[in-house]
Amino acid sequence: QVQLAESGGALVTPGGSLRLSCAASGFIFIDYYMNWIRQAPGKGLEWVAYISSSGNVIQYADSVKGRFTISRDNAKNSLYLDMNSLRAEDTAVYYCARDRQVYTSSQFDFWGKGTLVTVSS
Amino acid sequence: AIQMTQSPSSLSASVGDIVTITCRASQGIRNDLGWYQQHPGKAPKLLIHTASSLQSGVPSRFSGSGSGTDFTLTISSLQPEDFATYYCLQDYSYPRTFGGGTKVEIK
């Protein structure tokens, strides 16, 4: 069965850096576009970043552009989010999610359980 | 960026009620819209894709409609497990944008 498992969340001070990982299993990872979505405490969902199946097409939300980098290692069935210059407003649960259809952008049919990032001094 | 305006932000309903949630896009998005359900502390779950297609395994009491800028999620007979927060999401263009959410509470 499809499984996505995020890791790497932590408490970090403002201006700091963090790398999140998402381990995928139960499907052919290289066939699917992947995403990061976040949810601040008590708030709604915010899409953060997207990467195509080969990794050659990437998109970011304006709120993280220039600070966050999405990447993937298809040999390791893993998705990553490198976060730099972290701010208090980046505090959130971060989810990785899979696009529903192969080789195209669509809705997100499988999500991980999320990992909490807290940015505070 | 396309703005998704969802309404209402919250509603109270009873088991067996019909519930309708709407989402309006700031520009036309064809039928590139999905609906998600989220229970507290859990990841969102895809209910509807392409505006009106039921995701596999989702009960038939959930339905979606609309095209262009106006979309609706309907729950035909609210069940206890349906008390949750619902979000719309446009996948017409990047950046992807979610609606603000609708919390469905027990009356």
Side-chain angles (χ1 to χ4, degrees):
Chain A
Q1 70 282 24
V2 173
Q3 290 191 336
L4 297 169
E6 304 91 341
S7 60
L11 171 63
V12 60
T13 54
S17 300
L18 203 60
R19 170 176 256 210
L20 304 184
S21 300
C22 173
S25 60
F27 65 103
I28 303 172
F29 184 68
I30 197 171
D31 285 351
Y32 288 85
Y33 299 179
M34 297 295 297
N35 301 265
W36 288 99
I37 298 103
R38 69 184 180 182
Q39 187 169 36
K43 302 298 184 182
L45 299 167
E46 180 188 16
W47 171 83
V48 172
Y50 140 86
I51 187 168
S52 64
S53 51
S54 63
N56 63 335
V57 180
I58 286 173
Q59 297 278 353
Y60 296 101
D62 286 346
S63 58
V64 306
K65 202 173 292 184
R67 300 187 299 121
F68 289 12
T69 302
I70 188 173
S71 62
R72 64 191 294 163
D73 185 335
N74 287 336
K76 295 183 177 180
N77 289 345
S78 292
L79 176 72
Y80 305 102
L81 186 67
D82 288 297
M83 304 185 293
N84 297 312
S85 303
L86 283 161
R87 307 165 181 167
E89 54 265 36
D90 296 318
T91 294
V93 173
Y94 285 73
Y95 297 100
C96 65
R98 187 186 85 165
D99 270 60
R100 186 179 62 85
Q101 295 180 285
V102 297
Y103 303 123
T104 189
S105 300
S106 54
Q107 297 288 327
F108 311 140
D109 63 346
F110 284 95
W111 298 60
K113 294 182 178 180
T115 188
L116 176 63
V117 173
T118 303
V119 184
S120 175
S121 54
Chain B
I2 298 173
Q3 294 185 0
M4 304 301 297
T5 303
Q6 195 172 332
S7 61
S9 56
S10 65
L11 64 90
S12 296
S14 301
V15 172
D17 284 354
I18 298 173
V19 168
T20 299
I21 298 167
T22 64
C23 203
R24 174 165 289 175
S26 60
Q27 67 182 72
I29 59 170
R30 302 180 305 198
N31 64 345
D32 295 334
L33 184 110
W35 290 96
Y36 294 80
Q37 176 192 64
Q38 186 180 33
H39 289 105
K42 301 295 186 181
K45 173 187 175 182
L46 178 63
L47 301 175
I48 301 285
H49 63 84
T50 51
S52 60
S53 297
L54 199 64
Q55 176 68 2
S56 176
V58 174
S60 59
R61 64 180 179 273
F62 292 94
S63 63
S65 64
S67 183
T69 60
D70 294 308
F71 302 86
T72 300
L73 172 70
T74 301
I75 309 172
S76 61
S77 177
L78 199 65
Q79 298 301 300
E81 59 269 31
D82 300 337
F83 292 96
T85 301
Y86 294 83
Y87 296 92
C88 62
L89 169 68
Q90 65 83 15
D91 65 292
Y92 177 80
S93 68
Y94 288 99
R96 296 277 189 263
T97 42
F98 287 91
T102 297
K103 186 174 184 178
V104 177
E105 299 176 298
I106 302 173
K107 183 182 286 185

